[in-house]
Amino acid sequence: MTAKFQAFMILGALVLLLIIFVLLKRGKMTVKYSLLWLGLSLALTVFAVCPYVVFVLRDILGVEMPVNLVFMLMFCFVLLVLLSLSIALCQLAEKSKRLTQANAILEKRVRELEEKLSPPD
């Protein structure tokens, strides 16, 4: 890995880390969802600062080329993000269903109270 490419990778990882912290500070992202992104930026920083780590992981996992290992790790990261977003979506759908049901019950109760309180014609 050339020094120029290594510097570019370190800069990219630090920019990603900065973006995550800015989003957290502004309230655009919760800590719960930022943990995956923080982990990614830290892993990218480690890979950029110590490229030897990729070669060691490659040997441990039995992957032929370091590039394949990086693609496999990125694929796993994307799957983790998709899984966490699917879980969040399911939770939101369930909350929406419960809120809709509670709203319908309240509307029915209000109608019944209005009918009781309104004078007969």
Side-chain angles (χ1 to χ4, degrees), residues 65-105:
M65 297 183 69
V67 173
N68 292 343
L69 175 68
V70 172
F71 281 130
M72 183 185 73
L73 292 175
M74 288 300 132
F75 181 72
C76 291
F77 174 75
V78 169
L79 286 178
L80 280 174
V81 169
L82 286 173
L83 180 63
S84 87
L85 290 176
S86 295
I87 290 169
L89 182 66
C90 290
Q91 289 173 345
L92 287 174
E94 185 62 30
K95 283 181 184 179
S96 176
K97 182 175 116 179
R98 276 190 261 126
L99 283 172
T100 303
Q101 291 170 345
N103 189 33
I105 291 169

Side-chain angles (χ1 to χ4, degrees), residues 1-16 44 48:
M1 177 184 318
T2 65
K4 188 176 183 180
F5 183 67
Q6 189 175 10
F8 179 73
M9 283 183 60
I10 292 170
L11 180 67
L14 293 177
V15 166
L16 178 62
L44 289 175

